[in-house]
Amino acid sequence: MKKSRRIGLIMIISGATLWGLSGPMIQWFFHHTELSSISFLVVRLLLAGFFILSYLFFRKKNIFGIWKLPRHWIQLIIFAVFGMLGAQYVFIEAIHVSNAVTAMLFQFFGPVLITIYVAIQIKRLPSLTQFLAIITALTGLYFLITNGSVENVVLSKKAIAFGVLTMLGFTFYTLHPESLIKQWGTIVIVGWGMFIGGIVLFLSHQTFSVYSLTETLTINTFSMMILIIITGTLSFLFYIGILKYLSPTETSILASIEPLVAAIISVTWLNESFGAYQLLGGIFIIVAVIFLTIPKKEIELYAATQKVS
């Protein structure tokens, strides 16, 4: 095995494992503290964004150039508020009102929506493989929500609502910053997205204060919060560098261990239990997303039309 490929495999497995672990950690955190999702997210976004931008600054990267172009920084602010902040908020709330595995599976459904969006944009029906994957994913989502019985829906209305918003948030988060990332790079956009999102949430959440934060947190919960921030940031940085070593298909397939890791940790550590049909639904969603990584012609055509426009 080539050294570069070995590095790529280590990065994707590490990134997926850390992200899969972060979900149960967030769930544990909210079970052991009275801190609100918004207060937690303020700290998470501000610290992660600050450290990423500081890292880039000391590496002498141009992190301020984007602010010289109004069209770009307007797009950046939209991404920060509705993409970065919006997607993370609904994901954390989905964990809060359901559990980590369910939230991750809803998020994992995002590529299905992206496939549908791309098909609409290029005005072409999905390929047979894509169509079957979409049907499989929808079947999986049905099982996840109902555990096989419409009369006894296992998820609350709030959990379903935040789950659907998590799918939409992931889709917007992925599609909106495409042109910005091509121009400025992924890390710059994500760093600013986190930092701006944190500032916006801090200014709009007037009840947030450092004093109330210190009063609410114990040594254990504070340590867990820092660990969540570190693992989440590291997992994303791993994902950023992966495509230098692995193909997008390999990356997506290996990333499917995220919900598997979350499920194992949730069952063994948090004593979560899942219905047989819910587990089957999760498998359906994962298999569907893997199959969606195989055909690339429509994605390439969409990218080409974006360049022309």
Side-chain angles (χ1 to χ4, degrees), residues 6-277:
R6 188 182 300 115
I7 293 173
L9 290 172
I10 292 172
M11 290 174 68
I12 181 59
I13 292 173
S14 300
T17 301
L18 288 172
W19 187 249
L21 180 60
S22 69
M25 288 164 62
I26 292 172
Q27 185 176 336
W28 180 94
F29 179 81
F30 285 123
H31 283 172
H32 291 81
T33 180
E34 297 298 321
L35 196 68
S36 69
S37 303
I38 293 178
S39 295
F40 168 77
L41 198 52
V42 168
V43 178
R44 184 182 191 179
L45 289 176
L46 283 176
L47 287 182
F50 175 78
F51 285 127
I52 290 175
L53 291 174
S54 298
Y55 167 78
L56 292 172
F57 179 78
F58 286 112
R59 289 288 302 273
K60 301 189 184 302
K61 302 294 183 181
N62 181 17
I63 63 173
F64 298 108
I66 191 171
W67 297 102
K68 298 177 182 178
L69 301 172
R71 183 168 64 88
H72 286 194
W73 62 252
I74 290 173
Q75 280 185 278
L76 176 61
I77 291 175
I78 293 172
F79 166 69
V81 175
F82 297 102
M84 180 63 70
L85 173 56
Q88 292 217 26
Y89 172 72
V90 294
F91 175 69
I92 289 173
E93 282 294 335
I95 293 176
H96 207 176
V97 299
S98 58
N99 56 65
V101 178
T102 300
M104 284 199 161
L105 287 171
F106 271 111
Q107 176 188 279
F108 212 69
F109 194 90
V112 178
L113 295 184
I114 292 173
T115 301
I116 296 172
Y117 173 82
V118 170
I120 294 172
Q121 286 293 306
I122 64 177
K123 297 178 181 178
R124 286 179 57 182
L125 291 174
S127 67
L128 178 60
T129 303
Q130 289 177 322
F131 181 76
L132 291 175
I134 291 170
I135 296 300
T136 302
L138 289 172
T139 303
L141 188 62
Y142 166 79
F143 285 145
L144 179 66
I145 293 172
T146 66
N147 195 31
S149 173
V150 179
E151 296 178 357
N152 298 301
V153 177
V154 292
L155 296 182
S156 66
K157 291 181 180 179
K158 186 176 287 188
I160 295 172
F162 277 112
V164 172
L165 288 173
T166 296
M167 293 189 303
L168 295 173
F170 174 86
T171 304
F172 182 81
Y173 172 91
T174 304
L175 293 173
H176 178 77
E178 181 184 8
S179 59
L180 291 176
I181 288 173
K182 288 178 182 177
Q183 179 74 27
W184 302 100
T186 305
I187 305 182
V188 171
I189 299 305
V190 169
W192 277 119
M194 287 182 169
F195 194 65
I196 295 169
I199 291 174
V200 169
L201 193 58
F202 172 76
L203 294 176
S204 61
H205 184 47
Q206 297 180 356
T207 59
F208 177 86
S209 71
V210 176
Y211 175 76
S212 64
L213 193 69
T214 56
E215 286 291 305
T216 304
L217 296 176
T218 64
I219 294 177
N220 287 339
T221 53
F222 176 76
S223 300
M224 181 60 75
M225 184 175 68
I226 297 300
L227 195 57
I228 291 168
I229 294 171
I230 292 172
T231 54
T233 305
L234 281 178
S235 69
F236 187 82
L237 292 176
F238 277 133
Y239 278 128
I240 290 171
I242 286 166
L243 293 180
K244 295 179 181 179
Y245 308 104
L246 299 177
S247 69
T249 298
E250 291 174 311
T251 299
S252 297
I253 291 173
L254 291 171
S256 64
I257 69 173
E258 287 175 10
L260 177 61
V261 171
I264 293 172
I265 298 299
S266 294
V267 170
T268 58
W269 180 34
L270 302 177
N271 297 317
E272 285 282 352
S273 60
F274 303 94
Y277 281 103

